[in-house]
Amino acid sequence: MNNQLQVINHNGFRVLTTAQLADSFNADSTVISNNFNRNRERYTEGKHFFLLEGSNLKRFKTIHQNDDSSNRINRLYLWTEKGAWMHAKSLNTDRAWDAYEILVDDYYSVKETQYSSQVLDKDAALAIVLRKTADMMVQFPEIESRLERVENNTTINYGQQRQLAQEANRVVISVLGGSDSASYRDRSLRNKTYSALWRDHKDYFQTNSMRDTLVKDFDRALDRVSAWAPQGRLLREIEEANRQLAF
């Protein structure tokens, strides 16, 4: 096994490429890939491996320019310690199990804090900082993607619901002509106005309820409620109710 494995960190894990794993286990990369494909349902992405494609793979290639094995591929598997165990189990040779134990002791379990016990010159310290920064840059797109998924599915909290409801109350009172107006005192017309406001809100944001408004849409929702005004038949009913009181 190559004792000078290039250290690769990804998403907080030390990982190995398929080529590195094959070299460590004294196996062919094709065998590693075939074993994985035959048992794909037993592997979990993020637990046993990470798959890099597209822009993530491009960043990886830029950072690890001395890894010639990754330059000719359009997808790259990175294997965690648990993934390496799965491959050792598939190979089930003495060499694979011996290599796995060495990887656990000398590679996967090595903590980055090992540098704290050394006195590093400026160049060495800078190299470590740059490598850590580069590893983080590879992770950023995945982190951003996860945050985007959370934001796209998180609904507003109770405080934001109250803020929308209070603004709706203010707007309805205003468009009806104030709390002393005939249209506001007409319970049926008042309820109809509230219903129209929230119906427009639900239609626009494609929700079943104001409470289902997404966090990412909250500011826009508040602006739309603030700017809401009755239209058509409802507007005419409000005007007629208030006009009758004037007479």
Side-chain angles (χ1 to χ4, degrees):
M1 182 174 67
N2 185 357
N3 292 322
Q4 300 298 323
L5 284 173
Q6 179 186 6
V7 175
I8 302 174
N9 293 297
H10 185 74
N11 275 20
F13 293 88
R14 274 203 172 185
V15 293
L16 291 172
T17 65
T18 300
Q20 288 177 309
L21 199 60
D23 181 60
S24 298
F25 287 167
N26 194 30
D28 191 275
S29 294
T30 303
V31 174
I32 298 291
S33 298
N34 289 342
N35 286 343
F36 169 67
N37 291 330
R38 281 195 296 268
N39 299 280
R40 177 64 179 82
E41 70 281 358
R42 299 178 182 272
Y43 290 80
T44 302
E45 187 168 2
K47 177 181 178 182
H48 298 106
F49 70 92
F50 296 96
L51 175 59
L52 300 185
E53 298 178 288
S55 58
N56 287 341
L57 178 57
K58 185 176 180 180
R59 290 188 185 90
F60 179 90
K61 290 179 178 180
T62 300
I63 295 167
H64 301 87
Q65 293 180 352
N66 58 334
D67 183 2
D68 295 333
S69 64
S70 67
N71 292 330
R72 301 180 298 275
I73 58 177
N74 55 19
R75 54 168 40 194
L76 179 68
Y77 286 92
L78 300 176
W79 304 102
T80 66
E81 178 182 338
K82 292 181 179 179
W85 183 87
M86 294 284 284
H87 281 294
K89 183 179 179 182
S90 292
L91 292 169
N92 199 25
T93 63
D94 290 339
R95 173 60 185 265
W97 285 119
D98 289 343
Y100 172 74
E101 290 184 6
I102 294 173
L103 286 174
V104 171
D105 292 339
D106 297 341
Y107 183 79
Y108 284 117
S109 298
V110 176
K111 305 299 182 183
E112 295 301 321
T113 53
Q114 62 181 317
Y115 297 113
S116 62
S117 62
Q118 304 175 12
V119 178
L120 302 176
D121 59 32
K122 290 182 179 180
D123 290 340
L126 179 60
I128 293 171
V129 171
L130 290 176
R131 170 51 63 89
K132 287 180 177 291
T133 302
D135 288 337
M136 290 177 64
M137 289 177 65
V138 172
Q139 299 172 24
F140 279 162
E142 296 181 10
I143 295 173
E144 290 174 352
S145 177
R146 292 178 184 177
L147 287 175
E148 184 177 355
R149 286 197 296 272
V150 170
E151 290 174 351
N152 287 340
N153 292 281
T154 302
T155 55
I156 58 177
N157 59 35
Y158 178 71
Q160 291 168 316
Q161 293 172 21
R162 279 181 55 84
Q163 193 172 349
L164 275 179
Q166 289 170 352
E167 183 61 17
N169 288 338
R170 184 194 68 78
V171 169
V172 168
I173 291 173
S174 176
V175 300
L176 290 176
S179 57
D180 294 328
S181 66
S183 57
Y184 184 82
R185 292 200 301 269
D186 184 331
R187 183 176 180 180
S188 175
L189 185 54
R190 185 172 70 245
N191 289 342
K192 188 182 296 185
T193 305
Y194 275 109
S195 296
L197 184 154
W198 291 124
R199 183 171 57 251
D200 287 348
H201 174 88
K202 291 185 290 184
D203 286 346
Y204 184 85
F205 290 104
Q206 296 293 292
T207 63
N208 294 322
S209 166
M210 175 266 283
R211 292 187 294 273
D212 295 330
T213 304
L214 297 177
V215 170
K216 69 183 183 69
D217 292 330
F218 174 71
D219 289 338
R220 192 152 48 107
L222 193 60
D223 289 341
R224 285 187 59 82
V225 169
S226 298
W228 184 84
Q231 303 292 328
R233 182 176 178 179
L234 177 60
L235 176 60
R236 187 170 65 252
E237 289 181 20
I238 294 171
E239 291 173 342
E240 289 177 352
N242 289 335
R243 189 180 302 117
Q244 289 174 4
L245 179 64
F247 288 107

